[in-house]
Amino acid sequence: MRKLMNFCAAAAFSVFLFSVCRLYVSEALAVFAALLPVPFAAFLSFKLRRTGVFSGVCFALVFVILFSLLILSPAGKLCGSKASAAVRVYSYAEGKTSYGKAEGRLLSVNGKRTLPFKVTVILKDGSPDGVVPGCLVTLFADLKKTSNKSDMQKGALITLTELNDFSVKEEKGDIFCALARLSHKISKRIETLFDGDGGALLSALLCGDKSRISKDLKASLYKSGLSHVVAVSGLHVSIILAVLMTLFGKKAGVILAIPLLPAYAILTGGSPSVLRASVMSLFLIAAFLFDARYDRLTALSFSALLIGVLSPFSLCSASFLLSFSATLGIILFAESISAAMPFKAKNRALNAVLSFLVSTLSVTLSALIFTLPVSVVFFESVSLVSVITNPLVLWAVAPAMLCGAFTVLFSYFLPFLSGVFGIIASLFLKYILLIVKLFGKLSLTARTDDLFTLLFCVFLIALAVLFYKKILTPKQSLAAGLCLFLLSFGASYVKTLATYEINVFGDGGASSVVIYDGKSTLALGMPSSYGADYFFDGVLSRFGASRIDAAVLSGSGRKDAGNASLAENICAPGGVYGENVYRFEEGGSFTFGKTRCAVFKCGESYALWAKAGKIAVADVCSVYPYEYAAAPFSAPCDILVVSARWMNSPKYLSALCSRLRPSLVLVADSRYDDVYPDREICGCEVRLLSEADYYEIRYLK
């Protein structure tokens, strides 16, 4: 088993290096990145007789070469052209502000069959209907290499941008399409049986559908350290396996689990975390059926290699790295931490409760040790209460899932029994929501993108190794860990209070500028209803906030005020619909906290300006170039945010830059816009917001 573990771990690591280099460094050097472990593997093989390591690296090297030649190269040859294409859709289309988005498999280009590359389809329609799993979409499109790293991590190699001749043909598709439709049907059924946040939570638990989770609940889950509860992973897979073994017996249960676990993984979206958990569970089932020893490290390594072979770039995703690192931490440290806390009681019931608390706490701590470095890289804040909230909530997840599933199942033929299970499920869901919202109000989050927390992660891992090697006693480890925790996060919190932050992100052609002064949050422009999820995931959650304190809107009509409820105070044009909105007609200026704001009227539109400390930002996305030419304003700024239409009017843009004198121009383009700007205009650097999730600048007050 150890040889298999060495083989799989070495191969998966080499594929990971290839993927990281391909996505973040250089396409040309990606294959050479897989060569880096070869000398180390050779040393282990010939000096320490770890033969599995060398053969694993060699396997990975052959795989990445074949993957580059047989998959990436043919996909690259199709890109850079405009052609008629046929795509089998595997997901429900998402609506964005100015475009729609769907995922699928490429079937043909200009009538010629191609390899079934996974593709992302960008649609002209911002609220597409009829694009459902299984349907056949034909369109004349612009084929480009996928530049969005999130899409590449999902396996999409080509992006098709609709130009014209779009048509949809309804078809059933394969088993993957059928399971996607079934997941959507179950989610809709849950929506009719459970209302509010309880129904949204159950949809996420059973189907992996997080679209109904409200903004406030999403922020509360993040701040309470319970976001992993709604991300389908090993917790959910282990619950399903335990239920099957309880209802049908061990042998019948595990046999039923063999087809059900892969089906459930596909049903819930096939994320790397659920695939990892399913593969490890199938390893456990095989060990049980063949009376063999189950080695968790071997199962984890094999699952990583399998995921890497199926979708190499998914090894770089936050979902996989969090799931893999948490599982590795649990395997290595959970038993040792649990043994270091020998709490026992004479009363059997109390002893069972203490055993559960110790087990949950040890699992949480061991997972936290290994996921902190991943959180530092991918996210910029971490909840400080997860050690408390996990023991309070995790015990209730299994009965909530089980009763919720029976509620949906019996609702089709035994309504009375469905109602009974529905009441029980609602009680557990309300309890989970109570804990989530209670601890979500505490806002105990700390930023993890500074030196203090990086040092904390390094020392915490070193401390864990010393504890694991029994160099330190449990009491010494606990005391040292607590001191590290207080020092690092205390310093990080003080630094946050002394820092200004300006974040600019694109919302499908529009923009939002978020200014944070350590205490309050101000937004210039609000996201549309389609962009609100990203707004919370990418911006507000990093501040540990569920709402913004003030917002200045630039447009008019219902669309611009669609998410105005996110803000406590709103300054908006007279045409914006909504209650408790301060309306302006001719512009003006005001001060919020330590940020100065101004609104300038240009024709029928409004330009926004704000200055936080020494940095000023101007947003003219809602202003047409000819409107500015008729009513120019002078407000010097450091950062200028423009829409794609300004890039098509270089004369007006040059005049604007000459008057405002910015050092940086950010273009709020959508991926549908065909924008190739000069990287410098009037001495100003130009960046596209579609090329990154957001642009951030931070400086001391």
Side-chain angles (χ1 to χ4, degrees), residues 193-245:
L193 296 171
F194 299 87
D195 57 359
D197 288 337
L201 182 60
L202 187 59
S203 291
L205 290 174
L206 292 180
C207 307
D209 178 14
K210 294 183 279 189
S211 61
R212 290 176 55 203
I213 296 180
S214 65
K215 310 169 190 71
D216 288 339
L217 178 57
K218 187 176 292 185
S220 295
L221 284 165
Y222 181 84
K223 289 187 286 184
S224 61
L226 292 169
S227 296
H228 63 93
V229 171
V230 296
V232 180
S233 59
L235 172 66
H236 306 74
V237 171
S238 62
I239 289 172
I240 292 173
L241 186 58
V243 168
L244 289 174
M245 293 173 69

Side-chain angles (χ1 to χ4, degrees), residues 80-82 142-145 147 161 644 647-648 650 653 667 669-681 686-688 690-691:
S81 63
K82 296 178 175 63
D142 185 9
L143 282 71
K144 298 178 181 177
K145 286 185 179 180
S147 58
T161 304
M647 304 309 300
N648 298 322
L653 181 58
V667 184
D669 62 318
S670 73
R671 284 190 286 170
Y672 182 74
D673 295 317
D674 197 10
V675 179
Y676 299 97
D678 296 330
R679 290 302 170 176
E680 189 172 304
I681 296 177
V686 178
R687 296 189 183 183
L688 301 180
S690 63
E691 294 179 347

Side-chain angles (χ1 to χ4, degrees), residues 340-611:
M341 296 184 288
F343 299 111
K344 290 187 179 181
K346 294 182 179 180
N347 185 284
R348 182 176 296 180
L350 181 59
N351 191 52
V353 173
L354 286 175
S355 297
F356 171 78
L357 290 175
V358 168
S359 175
T360 306
L361 186 60
S362 61
V363 167
T364 303
L365 286 173
S366 56
L368 182 64
I369 291 170
F370 274 64
T371 56
L372 266 176
V374 182
S375 298
V376 168
V377 175
F378 284 93
F379 311 107
E380 296 183 356
S381 63
V382 64
S383 172
L384 308 183
V385 294
S386 59
V387 176
I388 301 173
T389 55
N390 276 276
L392 291 174
V393 164
L394 292 185
W395 70 270
V397 173
M401 285 182 63
L402 184 60
C403 293
F406 284 141
T407 302
V408 175
L409 178 64
F410 291 132
S411 66
Y412 290 100
F413 51 88
L414 289 174
F416 173 75
L417 200 55
S418 173
V420 173
F421 279 109
I423 293 172
I424 300 173
S426 296
L427 293 175
F428 284 108
L429 291 170
K430 287 179 180 178
Y431 169 77
I432 295 173
L433 291 171
L434 175 66
I435 300 298
V436 168
K437 293 178 179 180
L438 177 64
F439 284 90
K441 292 178 181 178
L442 299 180
S443 297
L444 292 176
T445 55
R447 297 298 298 269
T448 63
D449 55 348
D450 57 334
L451 179 61
F452 302 110
T453 311
L454 283 170
L455 290 175
F456 170 75
C457 294
V458 172
F459 284 119
L460 184 63
I461 293 173
L463 190 63
V465 172
L466 293 175
F467 170 73
Y468 185 72
K469 294 292 185 180
K470 297 182 179 181
I471 298 174
L472 294 179
T473 65
K475 289 184 179 180
Q476 291 172 334
S477 302
L478 183 62
L482 183 61
C483 291
L484 280 173
F485 179 83
L486 293 175
L487 286 173
S488 61
F489 285 111
S492 178
Y493 180 71
V494 171
K495 184 182 175 183
T496 299
L497 294 179
T499 305
Y500 277 116
E501 275 192 51
I502 298 176
N503 291 264
V504 186
F505 77 97
D507 179 22
S511 69
S512 290
V513 180
V514 183
I515 301 172
Y516 182 64
D517 64 3
K519 293 183 178 180
S520 55
T521 309
L522 171 72
L524 302 182
M526 292 291 288
S528 67
S529 57
Y530 296 126
D533 286 343
Y534 176 81
F535 185 72
F536 272 88
D537 288 340
V539 181
L540 289 187
S541 62
R542 296 170 54 243
F543 306 138
S546 60
R547 295 169 63 85
I548 57 178
D549 298 290
V552 185
L553 306 184
S554 59
S556 61
R558 294 184 184 275
K559 184 177 180 180
D560 196 23
N563 281 285
S565 60
L566 300 178
E568 297 286 351
N569 304 285
I570 300 168
C571 184
V576 170
Y577 295 87
E579 299 179 359
N580 303 320
V581 178
Y582 170 74
R583 294 173 173 81
F584 55 79
E585 296 292 345
E586 299 299 326
S589 61
F590 63 95
T591 300
F592 177 77
K594 298 181 180 180
T595 303
R596 291 190 293 137
C597 302
V599 180
F600 302 97
K601 187 171 184 180
C602 300
E604 298 299 320
S605 304
Y606 296 88
L608 307 177
W609 179 90
K611 187 171 185 178

Side-chain angles (χ1 to χ4, degrees), residues 16-17 45 70 91 100 130 267 330 397 423 462 497 528 557 634 666 669:
F16 170 75
L17 290 178
S45 297
L70 303 180
S91 69
L267 185 78
I330 291 169
V397 173
I423 293 172
L497 294 179
S528 67
S634 296
L666 299 177
D669 62 318

